[in-house]
Structure formats: structure tokens, C-alpha cells
Amino acid sequence: MDNVRYQCRICGYVYDPAQGDAPGSVSPGTDFKSISALSWECPVCGAEKESFGMCRAPGGPAAGNTGAI
């Protein structure tokens, strides 16, 4: 899975594909890009999917992502 995770820019929650999001009905192993932007939101603060940015485990920025997350 390449250790790519997505972090909410609003509250800092990190979506880990290996764990999924049970309360949001997202099964473990689901890639972030496969999650519907229409029906899923940050489980902590309710932010839209577009409020997330890519990061690499354990918390380091992904290649090409120079913005603070």
C-alpha cells in the first residue's frame, strides 16, 4: 500500500487505508481515492474529503507535497 495516508488540514486526523474508517463505512484496505467525496467526511471534524492532503507514514510529507499538513 506504499504507506500513503491522507491528513485532514483542518483537525489533523489521518486516514490510513490499512485501517479504513469503520464509522464512515469505509472498509480496511480502501484507497483514499476510492472513497466517495459525496458521502464521506472527516470522522473528527466533518471536513469534506477535499480538505485532506497526502502524507507518508509515519507523518512525513509525501514527495511533491511541500505544504504544511
Side-chain angles (χ1 to χ4, degrees):
M1 247 187 235
D2 196 24
N3 291 335
V4 175
R5 298 177 183 182
Y6 290 79
Q7 185 173 32
C8 179
R9 293 184 188 110
I10 308 299
C11 71
Y13 167 80
V14 176
Y15 173 77
D16 182 352
Q19 307 236 341
D21 174 28
S25 300
V26 179
S27 301
T30 303
D31 184 68
F32 188 77
K33 294 176 184 176
S34 298
I35 299 171
S36 171
L38 299 175
S39 62
W40 187 82
E41 60 186 27
C42 177
V44 175
C45 71
E48 296 180 352
K49 183 180 173 187
E50 290 77 24
S51 297
F52 282 71
M54 194 175 3
C55 64
R56 291 205 184 268
N65 185 356
T66 58
I69 38 180

